[in-house]
Amino acid sequence: MGIEREGGWLAAFYFIYFCALGAFMPYWGPWLHAQGQTPLAIGILTAAVQFSKVLAPNLWGWLSHFWGSRRIVMLGTLLTAAGFLALEFSAGHFLVILLITLAFSFFWAATLPLVDAATMDWAQRRSASYGRIRLWGSIGFIVLSLGMGVFISHWGMGAFLPGILVFLVLAWWVSRHLPYGTHNHPSHQRRPRMSPVLRDAGLWFFLLAGLLEQASHGVYYAFYSIYAEAHGLSSSSVGMLWGFAVLCEVAFFWCGDRFIRRFGVPLVFTASFFLTALRWGVIAWWPGLLWIVLVQSLHAASYAAFHLAAVHWVSERFPGALRARGMALYASMVYGLGGGIGALAAGWSWAQWGGQLTFAAAGLVALLASVFLIKGLRVSPALEKKTI
């Protein structure tokens, strides 16, 4: 398979996968609200999506050594689609929705860390840019966060589940053609050991910092759409705000490798944490629509810069056959545990204190995360500026 064709399949997978995610994330909270769920229930159900990522990526990353990433990614996307189909029959019952959510999230968590590991491996083998492949996921997120807002404005929440289902089935089809690389096929050789890497104290400071940074996003993912609508914005306008944020994310993924070459991973990391805190503080204040639009551009820092720097950081410490498991550890601790704690805390805080104080608290959590990040960069040798 030629390099252009390989890159095309990877870009297509990211685009389609994040189309599904772009339909899901902005409207999961409103869909649950339309099903009659309380703020605490919305927080719990959003947390369930994240907590499923704690165990699942590590399990799937370990199984990939025996089964191969291709088989796991295909199975994960197909069973995730089945889960969203099952939600159509939940009839608004909290326990039913919770069980289905835990199930589809467990299989959904199988896919992205393995594809990220395969893409990073492919990019290094082909001297290509991970960021310029990954940006197609951000474009897909924009397309569906905007498109789903329009669909919901016209046809209501009945458009939510079918829209996601279509793209998950497409992701399953594309996943058959991805270049998974030599380290992602089943092997009967002795498994490489993780213990030397896990003894690095800097790794755990990094994971704790990332966990808190993502926990600060919990209120954004669970309640931002509801918060914005409470300030008088329509569903389509909310979709445009999400879309603009991810457009800024795309711009950073396009040029982010240059930032890392020029400034190094530690500086990009640190700046992303402080700008995340600023973002949540401005949203809490809500000084007016113009400022809210402008602050959405900080999604380039709070997600894109953080994620791109983190992928390079993890890849340096988990080379070769360990990379899939390293990405799984990163995904489970940062996005799984961190995202779950953040969503659960946001649901409780929203019910107790309301939206403004919850976003303000998220800003403080992001500032706390920066303390652990700086500590981690001091304990572990910092990544120098490098050619990517």
Side-chain angles (χ1 to χ4, degrees), residues 23 31 88 148 150-153 155-165:
W31 183 81
E88 287 279 12
M148 187 59 71
V150 173
F151 294 152
I152 290 173
S153 294
W155 294 295
M157 281 296 169
F160 177 71
L161 295 177
I164 297 172
L165 184 61

Side-chain angles (χ1 to χ4, degrees), residues 35-82:
Q35 299 297 306
Q37 305 303 315
T38 65
L40 182 58
I42 292 172
I44 292 171
L45 290 166
T46 304
V49 176
Q50 304 300 331
F51 279 131
S52 295
K53 299 176 184 176
V54 176
L55 172 64
N58 289 297
L59 175 62
W60 297 120
W62 177 73
L63 288 174
S64 70
H65 184 79
F66 302 101
W67 293 357
S69 294
R70 184 186 307 275
R71 184 180 300 175
I72 293 174
V73 172
M74 290 175 62
L75 178 68
T77 51
L78 193 61
L79 291 178
T80 304

